[in-house]
Amino acid sequence: MEEKLELYLDTKELIKALEFTTKVLKGKPTSEIYAFNKFIANGDKVDIEAVEMYEAAKTSVKAQVNGTGEFIIDPKQLLMMLKNVDIDEIIITKESKKNYIEIQSGWNVTSMPIGNIESYPSFPDINNTKQIEIATEELKELIENTTFACSTDEARPVFTGIQLDTAKAQIAASNTHMLAIRNFKANHKPENNKTIIIPAKALDKLIRTTIQDKTVKINFNDTNLYITFDNTTLVSRLINGTYPDVNRVIPKDSKVKCKINKKAFEKMLNRIKVFSDNDNNIIKIEINNKEKTLILSASSQKGSSKEAIKLEDLITDNENENFKIAFNSNYITEITKRIKEDNMVMLMNTSVSPAIIAENEYSNNKYIVTPLRMVQ
């Protein structure tokens, strides 16, 4: 057993690592022991682990390491101290049988207490997992275009996550009122096919993380998800449950197909929805067959507003009767934000059946939204 452990670390790199672990496990820890980070001397680097009940994170920092050993420490306290250090390199010293570490930065020497490492939980084992690999930018785009559709109701945990189906290379998210479906390209072996439900909160944290690697490795087993990049691993407990068959929700036919200029519709929507009621945020859509226009309207105690926009294209099976339908304006706003093309399509059947919104009629990336009942 080494009597002394010395770690020579780049101050900025250590700050970056601690900002990552504290951001990942942000919030009040479910147990006092989870408030600590574990430092492990590992050759020419230091591994830093953060473990919570349902999440974990691990990263590493290059270091000159003299000796062996590990310890746990309050990362937030250490981070606050380091952010006021003007020296490029710090030295962390831990001596055997002492319940504190010393941090030397220039002329300053700081002592900080360490925790009981024996009671610190082990980092989740990544062995015996299935793996797929996705391009970093594609993964971030997938997350940005799906997690918004997840529910925040913890009473229905399945809908607080996204479903990842590796066999179909598809992810889906729903709050039962709207559904987002995206397809993706990934490198994986057929034997790694599996369907899992990933907490949306875990993926949202990935969006806020700077990633240098061009691809991200995703490992999973029956209980955990592991996302690895830049010598860093994020771990999240998977959601236990069965996701509905999303492909059964997608309407197979549509009686009304209209193509709309996306920017013009979005601006009109932002003007009209100001006057929707606060409870259901209802906006009404009417398709005028004769004029080939889409009429958007809203009314409440705040006032009323109505506006028409010329359709780029319209196909309907009933040219003698205008089609009417109503939606929650918040859902339509969130969906429209994520349409990247100049035009978008709306495919509808009846005023009470789900509608499809997508960049084009044949896109594998689509949004399904349930209409609201209109009060005559």
Side-chain angles (χ1 to χ4, degrees), residues 106-125:
W107 294 100
N108 177 273
V109 178
T110 300
S111 296
M112 287 184 62
I114 58 176
N116 179 15
I117 199 166
E118 300 299 326
S119 59
Y120 198 75
S122 300
F123 195 82
D125 187 6

Side-chain angles (χ1 to χ4, degrees), residues 3-275:
E3 291 294 320
K4 188 176 183 180
L5 171 65
E6 289 182 332
L7 307 174
Y8 294 77
L9 296 150
D10 182 279
T11 307
K12 289 183 179 179
E13 290 300 313
L14 182 55
I15 288 173
K16 181 180 176 182
L18 292 173
E19 284 179 335
F20 171 74
T21 58
T22 54
K23 179 174 65 176
V24 168
L25 303 185
K26 190 176 181 180
K28 186 177 180 180
T30 54
S31 172
E32 286 186 9
I33 195 66
Y34 294 138
F36 292 90
N37 276 189
K38 186 176 183 180
F39 280 56
I40 307 163
N42 185 7
D44 61 349
K45 60 187 175 71
V46 175
D47 294 332
I48 304 175
E49 297 178 354
V51 179
E52 245 285 1
M53 186 174 290
Y54 299 110
E55 293 178 293
K58 178 166 65 175
T59 190
S60 61
V61 180
K62 289 184 179 180
Q64 178 186 327
V65 178
N66 296 333
T68 60
E70 54 190 27
F71 56 87
I72 63 172
I73 194 166
D74 182 342
K76 293 181 180 179
Q77 192 72 22
L78 177 57
L79 186 57
M80 284 192 291
M81 176 264 182
L82 291 174
K83 285 186 174 180
N84 291 289
V85 168
D86 296 326
I87 304 298
D88 292 338
E89 184 181 72
I90 65 163
I91 305 169
I92 297 179
T93 304
K94 180 191 177 296
E95 295 190 29
S96 177
K97 298 181 181 179
K98 289 187 177 180
N99 61 354
Y100 63 88
I101 60 169
E102 284 189 349
I103 306 160
Q104 183 177 341
S105 54
W107 294 100
N108 177 273
V109 178
T110 300
S111 296
M112 287 184 62
I114 58 176
N116 179 15
I117 199 166
E118 300 299 326
S119 59
Y120 198 75
S122 300
F123 195 82
D125 187 6
I126 199 172
N127 293 322
N128 300 317
T129 57
K130 299 176 183 293
Q131 184 185 93
I132 64 173
E133 194 168 332
I134 303 179
T136 302
E137 290 306 313
E138 183 172 10
L139 178 59
K140 287 197 171 187
E141 185 178 337
L142 287 169
I143 295 170
E144 288 172 344
N145 287 294
T146 54
T147 55
F148 79 94
C150 290
S151 173
T152 56
D153 184 4
E154 297 295 340
R156 307 181 74 182
V158 165
F159 294 106
T160 64
I162 69 158
Q163 176 183 257
L164 170 64
D165 186 335
T166 59
K168 295 177 181 176
Q170 181 187 82
I171 66 171
S174 176
N175 63 2
T176 72
H177 300 295
M178 63 176 168
L179 168 67
I181 298 178
R182 308 278 299 190
N183 286 76
F184 61 90
K185 295 178 181 179
N187 295 322
H188 73 290
K189 298 177 182 178
E191 58 265 29
N192 287 342
N193 285 344
K194 190 176 178 66
T195 300
I196 57 177
I197 305 174
I198 306 169
K201 290 180 180 179
L203 295 175
D204 285 338
K205 288 175 181 177
L206 194 65
I207 288 292
R208 300 192 297 271
T209 303
T210 301
I211 301 176
Q212 301 296 328
D213 285 348
K214 292 183 178 180
T215 59
V216 172
K217 292 182 176 65
I218 298 177
N219 290 64
F220 47 87
N221 50 29
D222 291 335
T223 56
N224 289 330
L225 173 82
Y226 305 79
I227 304 175
T228 304
F229 55 91
D230 299 346
N231 296 316
T232 296
T233 301
L234 279 173
V235 184
S236 173
R237 185 79 60 88
L238 294 173
I239 296 174
N240 187 28
T242 303
Y243 213 82
D245 183 354
V246 296
N247 293 293
R248 292 182 60 183
V249 179
I250 304 173
K252 299 297 185 287
D253 301 300
S254 54
K255 295 179 180 179
V256 178
K257 302 177 183 178
C258 58
K259 183 191 289 186
I260 318 160
N261 180 276
K262 185 256 184 180
K263 284 187 177 179
F265 177 80
E266 192 170 31
K267 288 180 179 180
M268 179 174 69
L269 174 62
N270 289 334
R271 289 190 290 270
I272 300 296
K273 72 178 184 179
V274 172
F275 299 96

Side-chain angles (χ1 to χ4, degrees), residues 180-372:
I181 298 178
R182 308 278 299 190
N183 286 76
F184 61 90
K185 295 178 181 179
N187 295 322
H188 73 290
K189 298 177 182 178
E191 58 265 29
N192 287 342
N193 285 344
K194 190 176 178 66
T195 300
I196 57 177
I197 305 174
I198 306 169
K201 290 180 180 179
L203 295 175
D204 285 338
K205 288 175 181 177
L206 194 65
I207 288 292
R208 300 192 297 271
T209 303
T210 301
I211 301 176
Q212 301 296 328
D213 285 348
K214 292 183 178 180
T215 59
V216 172
K217 292 182 176 65
I218 298 177
N219 290 64
F220 47 87
N221 50 29
D222 291 335
T223 56
N224 289 330
L225 173 82
Y226 305 79
I227 304 175
T228 304
F229 55 91
D230 299 346
N231 296 316
T232 296
T233 301
L234 279 173
V235 184
S236 173
R237 185 79 60 88
L238 294 173
I239 296 174
N240 187 28
T242 303
Y243 213 82
D245 183 354
V246 296
N247 293 293
R248 292 182 60 183
V249 179
I250 304 173
K252 299 297 185 287
D253 301 300
S254 54
K255 295 179 180 179
V256 178
K257 302 177 183 178
C258 58
K259 183 191 289 186
I260 318 160
N261 180 276
K262 185 256 184 180
K263 284 187 177 179
F265 177 80
E266 192 170 31
K267 288 180 179 180
M268 179 174 69
L269 174 62
N270 289 334
R271 289 190 290 270
I272 300 296
K273 72 178 184 179
V274 172
F275 299 96
S276 63
D277 67 279
N278 293 328
D279 293 329
N280 296 312
N281 304 296
I282 295 177
I283 54 165
K284 297 178 181 179
I285 290 177
E286 179 178 350
I287 305 299
N288 186 312
N289 297 329
K290 183 178 179 181
E291 301 294 333
K292 286 193 174 183
T293 57
L294 182 150
I295 304 165
L296 192 64
S297 63
S299 63
S300 65
Q301 292 181 339
K302 296 177 287 187
S304 62
S305 186
K306 186 176 183 179
E307 188 174 340
I309 184 175
K310 196 74 175 175
L311 294 171
E312 300 293 320
D313 192 19
L314 171 64
I315 300 175
T316 176
D317 68 348
N318 187 354
E319 295 184 355
N320 297 319
E321 184 178 349
N322 289 350
F323 180 82
K324 297 179 181 180
I325 196 168
F327 295 107
N328 184 313
S329 63
N330 290 341
Y331 297 158
I332 303 301
T333 299
E334 288 301 317
I335 290 170
T336 306
K337 282 181 186 177
R338 288 160 175 86
I339 301 293
K340 305 301 182 186
E341 298 296 327
D342 292 337
N343 294 317
M344 61 184 238
V345 296
M346 299 182 72
L347 311 176
M348 300 165 286
N349 273 307
T350 71
S351 63
V352 294
S353 59
I356 296 175
I357 301 176
E359 292 179 347
N360 62 72
E361 183 179 351
Y362 306 102
S363 174
N364 288 322
N365 304 322
K366 54 185 62 114
Y367 303 97
I368 293 85
V369 59
T370 302
L372 299 172

